[in-house]
DNA sequence: ATTCTGACCGCAA
DNA sequence: GTTGCGGCCAGAA
């Protein structure tokens, strides 16, 4: 077998595993950005990799809907199937979504559910 | 090796 | 609020 190729695949599998773990770790009712997930998984600047992995995942329990763009908006094109599904799932767990976008935690306002920029400190 | 494509990001107009 | 653009990085062609 080709060792270089094998170690490459292994590295890819590891990235994938760590990223999926980071996504699973987002508490219910909370959200995090692609970049935040990448950073928490140990791969800063790999936001696009997170997106790719979410697009290909096959794990039914994965809370992929808790992952948003850096500005708090849903990454799917508005009106697309994924867009509506993500909206639905988020609202189902108490996250406020308005115009395809999750409300940011304004200072002074006590949001009980949707916490933007969640980074594990909670 | 080179080129193209993303469920992206940050910053400047 | 919006758009545009360069930067980013893995994977496929």
């Amino acid at each position: 077998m080709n060792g270089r190729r094998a170690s490459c695949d292994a590295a890819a599998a590891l990235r994938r595993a760590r990223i999926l773990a980071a996504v699973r770790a987002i508490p219910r009712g909370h959200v995090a950005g692609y970049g935040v997930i990448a950073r928490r998984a140990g791969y800063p600047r790999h936001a696009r990799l997170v997106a790719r992995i979410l697009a290909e995942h096959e794990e039914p329990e994965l809370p992929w809907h808790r992952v948003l763009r850096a500005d708090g908006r849903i990454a799917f094109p508005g009106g697309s199937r994924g867009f509506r599904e993500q909206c639905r799932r988020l609202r189902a767990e108490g996250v406020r979504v308005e115009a395809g976008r999750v409300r940011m935690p304004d200072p002074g306002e006590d949001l009980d559910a949707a916490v933007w920029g969640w980074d594990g400190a909670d």
Side-chain angles (χ1 to χ4, degrees):
Chain A
M1 97 162 76
N2 185 317
R4 193 159 59 81
R5 159 75 177 283
S7 69
C8 220
D9 290 349
L14 178 61
R15 281 196 296 273
R16 185 167 166 285
R18 295 188 56 128
I19 286 172
L20 288 177
V23 172
R24 279 185 223 108
I26 308 174
R28 182 185 174 81
H30 292 237
V31 293
Y34 291 89
V36 173
I37 294 301
R39 183 158 39 76
R40 279 181 60 79
Y43 305 102
R45 299 187 296 292
H46 287 240
R48 305 193 91 140
L49 181 59
V50 173
R52 180 182 188 75
I53 287 174
L54 286 190
E56 294 173 349
H57 91 281
E58 297 176 16
E59 187 180 320
E61 297 303 305
L62 190 75
W64 57 267
H65 57 281
R66 297 179 191 148
V67 186
L68 308 167
R69 296 215 295 233
D71 58 4
R73 296 174 49 178
I74 288 176
F76 289 108
S80 68
R81 209 177 107 264
F83 179 93
R84 289 193 302 275
E85 177 65 7
Q86 187 163 12
C87 260
R88 191 186 70 70
R89 291 195 184 205
L90 284 172
R91 294 205 247 248
E93 52 185 55
V95 176
R96 297 177 58 183
V97 185
E98 299 169 7
R101 170 192 201 179
V102 167
R103 286 207 72 187
M104 306 282 278
D106 298 329
E109 177 184 21
D110 34 322
L111 288 180
D112 51 337
V115 173
W116 174 242
W118 173 80
D119 63 349
D122 194 75

